Amino acid sequence: METVVLRKDIFRKYAFLLFLLISKGLLDLIYCFYISPIFAYMGLIKNVSVDKVIESCILLTALFICTPDMEYKVTHFFLHIQLVVIILPMLSFYSMTDQNRQYMYAVCICHLLQCLMIKCYFTKSSISFPKIPYKLMCKLLVAFILIVILYCLIIYGVPDLTALDFNTVYEIRASVIWRFPLNYFVPWCVKVFIPMGLIIALNNKKYFLFLIIQICLLVFYLLFAHKTFFFIIFFALGIYIVCYYKKLYEALYLVIPAVSVVGVGIYVAIGNIMPLSYLVRRVFILPAQLKFIYYEFFSQNPKYYFSDGQIGRLFGIKSDYKTDIPKTIGIYMKSGASANTGYLGEGYAQAGFWGMILFSITIVIFLKIMEMCSHRAQNIVTISAASYWLYNLNDSALLTSLLTGGGIFLLLLVAFGYKAADEVQLE
């Protein structure tokens, strides 16, 4: 029996590796034949290096083999979502546009370092906190969300249904200025409290509470017209469903082939470029491009050394720049907009390769503490509620994710969250 189980595990692992390499091949082909010809004016040029195509496949295979097994733990999920959503597109862009080898290797080393840290024996422990009863936690979450909504209504007035017309969302966003403390409170609600509340309500079959929180989300959307608000919820609920049926990693490793086929299929069939642009270019290609642009700029210009945030103010570090990092890169790209990148790109901008290593270690320590605070029965809630926060590390700076993005509150909710008796057990 043990031999049969072992064979199934080996077969499953090789099947995931095959899907990973297929995903890489699909991204390469789509970039060459669709993305680059259509979006070359955005800097998405084609300069294929055959050597780097082979090299990138070898690197991807090696990283997959070194990445811990696909257990239902937040640290393991983070490493696999990083491999699929962050590193794989970077390897594709690296080979299709002949990017810098040194930087690509540094990204791979950071991933390997994180794998080593998570596999270390001394991290296999747990931390116990006094648990908040389920009903009290729900009341606290809903109370905070309602207070923030009430404050928004006082500041901005009662919204109409204009935001339901997606053609007007940019006009609404331009007319709304987020003032303190809403620039903190609203992201906390939408990225952490609402997903956590929805998942807890769904997991405990409290469907009326689930409906109330959904209505709160709709109010936030009508006020601020950010389509991402809806995306966050569908993302979290989708992760919860595949976790419930124990198909989390199957869904993760099929995401690139699925969106690639859908995007190209719709474009070829009816000439609609939007799915190809949003599902493939925006989600996978653009973040990879920005990371290499960050390296291109900061390898030739001074680093920030944390001068643009609270750390710089605390230690009196003066910046060589007049704007923050995203705006500096936006000016460099001549786009005029803020060009945000993930925690690895920001780490290089702050302190070069040492900054990348520092941020890689920091995120693992943070997630390991979260995992140590969570019980096995809570994993489905923790992974689902944290899923978008983890995904957003592809586009958001680490310190921003921890503070403005609500990462600290996510950790507190996991640490003090009630362990419900009817939660799904995940092995």
Side-chain angles (χ1 to χ4, degrees):
M1 181 63 69
E2 291 181 359
T3 304
V4 173
V5 173
L6 180 61
R7 288 178 179 175
K8 287 183 178 179
D9 290 341
I10 294 174
F11 176 79
R12 183 171 180 262
K13 188 161 187 175
Y14 279 115
F16 279 114
L17 176 58
L18 178 61
F19 280 123
L20 196 66
L21 294 174
I22 289 173
S23 299
K24 167 68 166 58
L26 283 172
L27 274 188
D28 289 353
L29 292 173
I30 291 173
Y31 186 89
C32 283
F33 294 103
Y34 296 99
I35 299 295
S36 181
I38 297 172
F39 300 102
Y41 69 94
M42 300 178 67
L44 297 173
I45 48 87
K46 180 171 64 176
N47 184 23
V48 180
S49 169
V50 177
D51 291 343
K52 289 182 178 178
V53 171
I54 299 172
E55 177 189 356
S56 61
C57 290
I58 295 173
L59 287 172
L60 190 60
T61 301
L63 291 174
F64 176 81
I65 293 172
C66 294
T67 301
D69 292 337
M70 290 163 275
E71 298 182 25
Y72 282 75
K73 298 179 179 179
V74 68
T75 51
H76 289 220
F77 180 57
F78 161 72
L79 288 177
H80 284 277
I81 202 173
Q82 176 169 263
L83 183 62
V84 173
V85 177
I86 298 179
I87 296 178
L88 190 155
M90 287 189 69
L91 285 169
S92 179
F93 193 81
Y94 164 74
S95 58
M96 292 297 101
T97 59
D98 194 18
Q99 293 292 327
N100 184 272
R101 178 174 280 113
Q102 186 181 32
Y103 180 63
M104 191 68 249
Y105 279 25
V107 171
C108 294
I109 290 171
C110 287
H111 183 80
L112 292 174
L113 174 63
Q114 292 172 325
C115 293
L116 181 62
M117 289 181 64
I118 288 173
K119 288 181 177 180
C120 282
Y121 176 78
F122 67 84
T123 62
K124 296 180 180 179
S125 57
S126 61
I127 302 175
S128 296
F129 287 89
K131 298 299 177 182
I132 298 176
Y134 158 73
K135 292 183 178 180
L136 178 58
M137 172 171 276
C138 290
K139 289 178 181 178
L140 292 174
L141 287 174
V142 173
F144 184 81
I145 293 168
L146 291 177
I147 290 171
V148 174
I149 287 178
L150 179 61
Y151 185 69
C152 289
L153 294 177
I154 293 173
I155 298 296
Y156 301 110
V158 178
D160 55 25
L161 301 180
T162 305
L164 296 179
D165 180 1
F166 289 163
N167 295 321
T168 65
V169 294
Y170 295 105
E171 297 177 7
I172 297 174
R173 291 183 203 173
S175 64
V176 176
I177 300 175
W178 287 18
R179 303 181 181 91
F180 180 84
L182 291 182
N183 57 332
Y184 285 90
F185 287 174
V186 173
W188 292 348
C189 284
V190 175
K191 294 183 178 181
V192 176
F193 296 145
I194 286 180
M196 181 64 79
L198 285 174
I199 296 300
I200 291 176
L202 184 62
N203 197 54
N204 290 276
K205 300 179 177 61
K206 304 297 182 180
Y207 301 116
F208 181 72
L209 175 63
F210 184 86
L211 177 62
I212 294 297
I213 298 176
Q214 283 278 29
I215 293 173
C216 292
L217 176 67
L218 177 62
V219 174
F220 277 121
Y221 174 74
L222 294 177
L223 282 166
F224 302 107
H226 280 272
K227 289 180 283 187
T228 308
F229 290 0
F230 282 138
F231 176 75
I232 291 173
I233 301 309
F234 286 121
F235 196 98
L237 294 179
I239 295 296
Y240 176 84
I241 291 170
V242 294
C243 277
Y244 186 89
Y245 291 102
K246 299 181 181 179
K247 298 296 182 183
L248 173 64
Y249 291 102
E250 286 82 352
L252 176 61
Y253 277 81
L254 284 173
V255 66
I256 290 182
V259 299
S260 299
V261 170
V262 169
V264 173
I266 292 176
Y267 176 67
V268 172
I270 62 176
N272 187 338
I273 200 174
M274 297 305 291
L276 182 64
S277 178
Y278 281 103
L279 294 178
V280 181
R281 181 194 65 85
R282 176 62 187 87
V283 175
F284 300 112
I285 303 299
L286 181 58
Q289 179 193 24
L290 284 172
K291 290 177 180 64
F292 283 105
I293 290 176
Y294 266 63
Y295 171 78
E296 178 184 293
F297 180 83
F298 287 105
S299 63
Q300 303 173 18
N301 294 281
K303 312 296 189 294
Y304 266 75
Y305 296 109
F306 305 98
S307 60
D308 62 332
Q310 297 299 327
I311 295 177
R313 297 185 185 96
L314 180 64
F315 292 98
I317 304 172
K318 295 184 179 180
S319 175
D320 294 312
Y321 303 92
K322 296 180 179 179
T323 58
D324 59 20
I325 297 175
K327 290 181 181 178
T328 297
I329 295 299
I331 294 171
Y332 175 68
M333 295 174 63
K334 299 179 181 179
S335 66
S338 293
N340 295 295
T341 190
Y343 77 97
L344 288 173
E346 187 223 0
Y348 187 82
Q350 295 286 10
F353 294 122
W354 289 111
M356 295 173 65
I357 292 174
L358 174 62
F359 281 16
S360 297
I361 293 173
T362 302
I363 187 62
V364 168
I365 293 174
F366 175 79
L367 293 177
K368 194 59 191 178
I369 293 173
M370 183 184 298
E371 185 175 285
M372 292 162 66
C373 294
S374 176
H375 296 273
R376 178 175 296 178
Q378 287 179 303
N379 283 346
I380 188 170
V381 173
T382 303
I383 292 173
S384 304
S387 58
Y388 182 79
W389 190 89
L390 294 174
Y391 165 79
N392 202 45
L393 291 172
N394 189 31
D395 289 304
S396 180
L398 178 57
L399 296 180
T400 301
S401 296
L402 291 173
L403 300 176
T404 310
I408 299 299
F409 287 100
L410 178 63
L411 175 61
L412 293 175
L413 288 174
V414 171
F416 293 97
Y418 175 67
K419 182 182 177 183
D422 60 345
E423 285 181 337
V424 178
Q425 297 285 341
L426 294 173
E427 299 295 338

